[in-house]
Amino acid sequence: MEITADSGPLAMNDGALPEDPLRMFKSELQRNVVEPTDTATYGYARLVVTKVKTVRTGRSLQAAQVITFLVPSIFGAPLEWYKTDIQAEVQMMNSNGELLGTYTGKGTSSVKVAMYSGYSQTDAPRLADVLALREALAQIRPQLDTAATRLRPLLLAGGEVNNPTLPGSSSSR
């Protein structure tokens, strides 16, 4: 199976790295969907991130902590939270590029920024995006499991993939 990912609006977010969605999607498929001994490719699996919303909450706590010389932070009070909501879909296509099924999932995450018991302000946005995407993929996994018996014959009927790029796609990140 050829595996591709389109980061969509996630690429514009300040959290996840451009290669994170593809790396996570490949890992998910290789661990849970694709047979490890199968080397032939009979179709395409494409991850598309359709919506991303990241909110930083608790910023007012920072002002209060600066006034108190960061004493609350020393005792573990968070500086802020990064909350990310992601909607993603997985498109399964045969070797001709015909869409066989679309499976969607939503993921949310909340990562706190704190001195000792949280993450730094540079690491928290990426972690929030990755955790939300992982949850969305976890919601898609059971959908793929139930559709596997229907998809397998359709993928085999389409024949092997000759071209290693996704048909009809301008970008296969």
Side-chain angles (χ1 to χ4, degrees), residues 61-136:
L61 291 175
Q62 287 181 352
Q65 291 194 23
V66 169
I67 292 170
T68 60
F69 302 107
L70 297 176
V71 171
S73 293
I74 293 171
F75 294 108
L79 294 170
E80 65 180 320
W81 289 267
Y82 279 87
K83 296 180 180 183
T84 300
D85 295 318
I86 285 183
Q87 184 172 345
E89 63 183 32
V90 171
Q91 300 170 347
M92 300 298 286
M93 294 174 258
N94 66 9
S95 61
N96 300 324
E98 297 168 354
L99 187 64
L100 302 176
T102 301
Y103 310 94
T104 60
K106 292 182 180 181
T108 60
S109 67
S110 179
V111 176
K112 79 175 172 179
V113 176
M115 280 186 155
Y116 302 113
S117 61
Y119 295 91
S120 70
Q121 286 181 319
T122 56
D123 294 337
R126 180 177 182 205
L127 183 62
D129 289 353
V130 168
L131 290 175
L133 184 57
R134 184 178 295 157
E135 185 178 323

Side-chain angles (χ1 to χ4, degrees), residues 25 28-29 33 46-48 86-92 102-107 133-147:
F25 187 50
E28 175 72 23
L29 286 181
V33 177
R46 181 177 184 198
L47 170 70
V48 180
I86 285 183
Q87 184 172 345
E89 63 183 32
V90 171
Q91 300 170 347
M92 300 298 286
T102 301
Y103 310 94
T104 60
K106 292 182 180 181
L133 184 57
R134 184 178 295 157
E135 185 178 323
L137 288 172
Q139 286 186 3
I140 293 170
R141 185 182 319 126
Q143 296 173 40
L144 285 174
D145 286 344
T146 58

